[in-house]
Amino acid sequence: MELYFLGTNAGVPSLQRNVTSIALRLLEERRSLWLFDCGEGTQHQILKSPLKLSKLEKVFITHMHGDHVFGLPGLLSSRGAQGVTAPLAIYGPPGIKSFIETSLTISQSRVPYTMDIIEHTGGVIFEDKYFRVEAAGLDHRADSYGYRVVEKDLPGSLDPKRLEAYGLKPGPQYGKLKRGESVELGDGSWIHPADVLLAPKKGRVVTILGDTRPCPGVEVLAKDADVLVHEATFMEDLAELAHEYYHSTAKQAAEAAVRGGVKSLFLTHFSSRYKDVEHLQPLLQEAKEVFEHTRLAEDFGLYPVQRST
């Protein structure tokens, strides 16, 4: 599980940063890619990255402002032009279905794959035996949502010492035990998975927020997350401006991380007034004074999501 930032600017692109889009690479977990928001130019960013549209399985849109959705019609069309036929699920607030269908219809774009467009107003929006995705409303000028991706706990690894004690050798029986099946020994006794498996591996939690002012929804989504991705459009000296435009400061993002008990925080969605990495350092310092484990997201930055031990 890895985060890959395709755009970290707010509002409009700059020479240094594109507008918002974040990929969650799940190549080991499900051989796929999930995309969060798709600002204008996202497909160009993907062309410059190691990401492949053929791996794209799901798209999650936080809200309908242009810097988060204007790249979506082109990306969907290009995915089809590349010959990808695998189905795609798109989740977003009310209006996302009309936006996609109207854009593709009027432009006569050919999409040779099934699209399942799911409009939601929060709650559990996806779940299978490996992952659950929850959404909650935030506080922005448009209906804005954050997403909490919960990886379910995985079975523990086989314990070589216990296996040896039972006289088990590598082979099909290992696979059965790993899958949660019991196996019968030659003497008629049974070995159950709990007899030879180590403790389960705790699943990871990644929270990715849309644009927002501080609000209860942030805390619900961020609680005990391994990673929180939070907008930091301004520094605290512009807190009144941030509030007026329904955004957050770097300090407010750090305070949310502290309240949520998260393990690491990524700041993103920076105002164009902070032109480059050097100009972003004061935002980082401001946040780190409140929450030490803070990093600046960078375009084309790849960040593994570590599993808690």
Side-chain angles (χ1 to χ4, degrees):
M1 182 185 290
E2 300 164 317
L3 281 169
Y4 193 97
F5 287 86
L6 291 160
T8 58
N9 221 40
V12 296
S14 69
L15 291 175
Q16 294 77 26
R17 301 186 298 268
N18 199 50
V19 285
T20 299
S21 185
I22 304 167
L24 184 62
R25 298 210 311 182
L26 300 169
L27 300 184
E28 291 185 8
E29 294 79 9
R30 55 198 300 134
R31 298 180 181 177
S32 70
L33 171 73
W34 292 1
L35 193 65
F36 293 80
D37 284 334
C38 188
E40 180 184 359
T42 292
Q43 64 171 313
H44 289 274
Q45 297 292 89
I46 289 176
L47 288 173
K48 301 173 187 176
S49 79
L51 307 180
K52 303 295 182 184
L53 286 180
S54 59
K55 297 290 185 182
L56 184 61
E57 178 190 13
K58 295 180 181 296
V59 178
F60 299 87
I61 298 299
T62 62
H63 63 294
M64 295 301 298
H65 281 163
D67 57 321
H68 294 256
V69 300
F70 280 169
L72 190 54
L75 181 141
L76 297 176
S77 178
S78 293
R79 186 176 186 263
Q82 291 179 11
V84 180
T85 57
L88 180 67
I90 304 172
Y91 304 80
I96 186 64
K97 185 178 178 69
S98 175
F99 172 74
I100 292 172
E101 292 181 345
T102 300
S103 299
L104 295 180
T105 298
I106 291 177
S107 63
Q108 300 183 30
S109 299
R110 180 177 174 270
V111 177
Y113 53 86
T114 302
M115 280 193 302
D116 189 12
I117 305 173
I118 301 101
E119 296 188 336
H120 68 82
T121 55
V124 177
I125 60 172
F126 169 76
E127 186 166 15
D128 63 11
K129 64 181 181 178
Y130 302 109
F131 285 92
R132 182 176 71 256
V133 181
E134 305 163 3
L138 304 174
D139 184 12
H140 193 50
R141 291 184 294 114
D143 287 344
S144 184
Y145 293 87
Y147 295 101
R148 178 181 172 92
V149 179
V150 180
E151 179 188 34
K152 297 185 178 180
D153 293 349
L154 300 173
S157 301
L158 292 169
D159 185 344
K161 293 182 178 179
R162 296 189 209 174
L163 292 166
E164 184 179 356
Y166 282 108
L168 284 175
K169 304 293 184 183
Q173 290 177 322
Y174 274 31
K176 287 185 177 181
L177 289 165
K178 185 68 175 175
R179 292 193 298 270
E181 303 173 21
S182 299
V183 299
E184 185 177 7
L185 299 181
D187 61 3
S189 62
W190 286 82
I191 298 178
H192 306 290
D195 298 328
V196 294
L197 289 177
L198 298 172
K201 298 177 183 178
K202 185 168 179 55
R204 291 158 288 186
V205 177
V206 175
T207 296
I208 299 174
L209 303 180
D211 294 2
T212 188
R213 297 192 294 203
C215 68
V218 172
E219 299 188 23
V220 169
L221 293 167
K223 183 174 174 55
D224 298 326
D226 292 282
V227 174
L228 170 63
V229 180
H230 196 302
E231 70 134 285
T233 308
F234 301 107
M235 286 187 64
E236 189 65 19
D237 62 339
L238 295 175
E240 291 186 6
L241 184 65
H243 183 80
E244 179 182 352
Y245 285 94
Y246 291 82
H247 286 296
S248 297
T249 67
K251 180 181 179 181
Q252 289 169 340
E255 289 170 343
V258 171
R259 289 193 298 269
V262 310
K263 295 179 178 60
S264 63
L265 168 68
F266 282 93
L267 304 180
T268 188
H269 199 267
F270 308 115
S271 168
S272 294
R273 71 184 60 219
Y274 310 110
K275 297 187 182 301
D276 52 30
V277 174
E278 180 181 351
H279 289 91
L280 289 174
Q281 291 307 307
L283 281 84
L284 178 61
Q285 184 59 38
E286 177 178 287
K288 287 175 74 72
E289 289 175 0
V290 177
F291 184 72
E292 175 63 25
H293 302 292
T294 302
R295 299 180 69 174
L296 296 173
E298 298 182 27
D299 285 29
F300 306 113
L302 176 65
Y303 308 97
V305 180
Q306 304 295 340
R307 191 180 300 279
S308 300
T309 55

